[in-house]
Amino acid sequence: MQVGFELYQKQTLKLALTPQLQQSINILQYSAHELIDFLHQQANENPVLEITETFKDPLASLSESGIRTNKINTQAGGSSATSKGFNGDSDYNPINNYSVNTETLENHLLEQVSMLKFLKPLERKILAFLIGNLSEYGFLEVDADWAASLFSVSMEEIEDMIQVLQSLDPIGVGARDLTDCLLIQLREHEHYNELAYTIIDKHLTDLAEKRYKKIANLYKVTIQEVQEASDFIRTLNPRPVSHFSNDMTHYIAPDIFVEKEKDGYLITVNDSFAPKLSINHYYTNILATKPGDPAKDYVKNHLNDAQLLIKGLEQRQMTLYKVTATIVEEQQDFFLKGIAGLKPMTLKDISEKLQLHESTISRATSNKYIQTPQGLFKLRNFFTRGLNRVNSQETESTLTIKEKIKVLIADEDKIKPFSDQKLCQIFENEGTKISRRTIAKYREDLGIPGSSKRRRF
């Protein structure tokens, strides 16, 4: 056997991602908001690209919105679909999405402190310090001893200022913890309940676990009285400062609209908010009129990148439309009946119909939202597994089963709620074979407690 180095030629076939394919993949997986950021970034890096914002005057009439339509008909059991692109803003008004509530909890409390005329200057400083040490839930996170030493005052004076803080609006602010927050609200409530106060103070965990019998035996009251106290406690607000959150509200801009029409559905790929890209003619003139210009290669490379980007955007729109049109075709019962009509469907089902790879369908549906006659949904919600029906080839989607569980529990007898085994029997009587463990899993996914914790007395 001869060992050594040798030169030879060999032909191999392998998949290579071209720059155009890589860019198409990236553009396809972007959501509406991510796409806006991406396009602005590309326009900043490529001088050949010109970017034009498409938002119009929100007071402009619909007749001036400049809508263009391209009819693309698909036969889906008698339904038709239309691809519609926007050249302006008709229904979507970004001004409506601005939050006007800019008042913070700190400003709200300091304004109330400024109206308390009986306070001394040092007491105002102490209150401002306490307000500055509130958590996002409105709980006081400073040690009273440390505050007293910091301001060289007695503990009683600090506690007095904490009492003043806890008297401000919203009631419950300045509490030490959840128990303290609920007790403050209860003391200020017009319908004071002694049993509710005791339960909050000593048995909040037992209340959460619905150990009503234990509480009733401890205080020689009936289970019904404990139940009534529990209902009263639930009217209190465990997060009284939540509406002062500094987090910005995130609005969802649907990537696709599906509207019901007489002869089918109108599918709209929403590009009304996306900026429009075009080629700057100054640079194309350089290529045409200045063949010897040293900047020619630079311009040519950026011009190719710009053309690829514009072509990739067009391909994204068409792919989203095709995927949505196929989903509408496959899930017509959903668009008529809602979640109850949703049937099991996988990415593979759509990829085989469109002759596209599953990864392409996955990217097209990732982080995308669709506005339907039944409400706003993630595109991924249409892809669910299913359970077989008894003595039938039909399957039922997991979302449909969860919706039925929610309805059954909402309508159950609260004194004798359905156990997981009972729910399992109900489904089997209706022809759906499902295990008790699966029922329990779906119930927990819905955030619904077990039958013992749903029971009322």
Side-chain angles (χ1 to χ4, degrees), residues 361-391:
I361 307 300
S362 177
R363 291 185 180 94
T365 56
S366 177
N367 299 320
K368 308 292 192 307
Y369 287 85
I370 179 172
Q371 181 70 51
T372 74
Q374 305 297 334
L376 182 69
F377 296 89
K378 284 185 174 182
L379 266 179
R380 281 298 179 91
N381 287 351
F382 291 94
F383 299 95
T384 63
R385 297 185 179 275
L387 296 172
N388 293 325
R389 295 182 64 83
V390 179
N391 300 324

Side-chain angles (χ1 to χ4, degrees), residues 210-222:
K210 294 209 170 184
R211 298 172 186 149
Y212 294 163
K213 187 176 291 187
K214 173 185 175 181
I215 298 172
N217 292 337
L218 280 172
Y219 297 99
K220 309 301 181 186
V221 295
T222 64

Side-chain angles (χ1 to χ4, degrees), residues 342-405:
L342 191 65
K343 68 177 186 180
M345 186 175 69
T346 64
L347 295 173
K348 187 177 180 181
D349 296 332
I350 302 299
S351 69
E352 289 178 349
K353 272 189 166 292
L354 294 177
Q355 296 298 305
L356 296 172
H357 198 274
E358 275 188 62
S359 62
T360 301
I361 307 300
S362 177
R363 291 185 180 94
T365 56
S366 177
N367 299 320
K368 308 292 192 307
Y369 287 85
I370 179 172
Q371 181 70 51
T372 74
Q374 305 297 334
L376 182 69
F377 296 89
K378 284 185 174 182
L379 266 179
R380 281 298 179 91
N381 287 351
F382 291 94
F383 299 95
T384 63
R385 297 185 179 275
L387 296 172
N388 293 325
R389 295 182 64 83
V390 179
N391 300 324
S392 173
Q393 298 296 321
E394 295 181 359
T395 55
E396 198 164 13
S397 77
T398 55
L399 282 180
T400 303
I401 293 172
K402 287 182 179 180
E403 190 67 20
K404 286 184 179 180
I405 291 174

Side-chain angles (χ1 to χ4, degrees), residues 40-91:
H40 280 287
Q41 178 185 349
Q42 292 297 307
N44 290 334
E45 295 175 356
N46 191 339
V48 174
L49 278 173
E50 281 191 344
I51 192 165
T52 306
E53 301 293 343
T54 57
F55 289 131
K56 297 186 69 176
D57 183 350
L59 300 179
S61 64
L62 292 178
S63 61
E64 296 173 344
S65 61
I67 297 176
R68 68 180 192 276
T69 59
N70 299 309
K71 291 287 183 179
I72 303 176
N73 296 320
T74 60
Q75 296 302 320
S79 70
S80 65
T82 302
S83 172
K84 179 172 67 175
F86 285 85
N87 190 25
D89 181 22
S90 57
D91 300 322

Side-chain angles (χ1 to χ4, degrees), residues 324-339:
T324 306
T326 308
I327 290 174
V328 172
E329 180 181 342
E330 293 293 308
Q331 298 283 4
Q332 289 191 54
D333 286 345
F334 165 82
F335 289 93
L336 291 173
K337 305 173 186 177
I339 293 179

Side-chain angles (χ1 to χ4, degrees), residues 99-341:
S99 175
V100 296
N101 182 18
T102 57
E103 185 180 28
T104 64
L105 174 64
E106 184 176 6
N107 291 339
H108 180 70
L109 294 173
L110 289 175
E111 183 178 356
Q112 295 176 69
V113 170
S114 67
M115 298 179 184
L116 301 178
K117 304 301 183 184
F118 61 86
L119 292 175
K120 300 174 183 177
L122 179 59
E123 292 173 333
R124 293 183 187 275
K125 288 183 180 180
I126 294 173
L127 275 172
F129 172 77
L130 296 175
I131 291 171
N133 282 277
L134 294 176
S135 72
E136 60 179 318
Y137 302 115
F139 296 156
L140 190 60
E141 294 187 323
V142 66
D143 183 71
D145 289 331
W146 182 70
S149 62
L150 183 66
F151 287 95
S152 301
V153 296
S154 66
M155 273 285 295
E156 288 73 17
E157 290 178 270
I158 295 295
E159 291 296 339
D160 287 343
M161 291 304 99
I162 292 176
Q163 291 293 324
V164 173
L165 173 61
Q166 292 176 351
S167 69
L168 301 179
D169 176 75
I171 298 300
V173 70
R176 301 288 187 180
D177 50 32
L178 176 60
T179 299
D180 195 22
C181 176
L182 296 177
L183 291 177
I184 291 170
Q185 293 180 59
L186 188 54
R187 284 193 291 267
E188 297 292 331
H189 204 284
E190 57 182 342
H191 302 297
Y192 179 81
N193 186 308
E194 186 68 38
L195 179 60
Y197 191 96
T198 303
I199 291 173
I200 294 173
D201 190 30
K202 299 180 179 180
H203 302 284
L204 204 54
T205 302
D206 290 329
L207 180 67
E209 296 297 325
K210 294 209 170 184
R211 298 172 186 149
Y212 294 163
K213 187 176 291 187
K214 173 185 175 181
I215 298 172
N217 292 337
L218 280 172
Y219 297 99
K220 309 301 181 186
V221 295
T222 64
I223 295 179
Q224 286 76 15
E225 288 178 290
V226 178
Q227 176 78 69
E228 291 172 3
S230 172
D231 293 340
F232 176 71
I233 292 170
R234 292 181 189 280
T235 64
L236 305 177
N237 187 358
R239 296 287 183 267
V241 303
S242 58
H243 59 290
F244 287 102
S245 174
N246 291 326
D247 295 336
M248 290 187 64
T249 303
H250 297 282
Y251 295 92
I252 295 174
D255 299 87
I256 303 150
F257 293 91
V258 176
E259 302 170 70
K260 184 74 174 71
E261 292 195 330
K262 291 182 180 179
D263 58 344
Y265 293 93
L266 179 68
I267 298 174
T268 307
V269 179
N270 184 17
D271 62 355
S272 60
F273 53 84
K276 300 300 179 184
L277 297 182
S278 58
I279 305 295
N280 190 318
H281 294 297
Y282 170 77
Y283 293 98
T284 56
N285 289 336
I286 290 178
L287 294 178
T289 61
K290 301 179 180 180
D293 195 310
K296 181 178 178 180
D297 290 339
Y298 173 85
V299 173
K300 187 175 182 180
N301 290 336
H302 282 80
L303 180 61
N304 289 337
D305 292 342
Q307 290 172 340
L308 287 177
L309 178 59
I310 293 173
K311 189 177 295 184
L313 288 173
E314 294 173 354
Q315 186 175 349
R316 176 186 185 272
Q317 299 292 87
M318 186 53 65
T319 302
L320 284 178
Y321 166 71
K322 288 180 179 179
V323 170
T324 306
T326 308
I327 290 174
V328 172
E329 180 181 342
E330 293 293 308
Q331 298 283 4
Q332 289 191 54
D333 286 345
F334 165 82
F335 289 93
L336 291 173
K337 305 173 186 177
I339 293 179

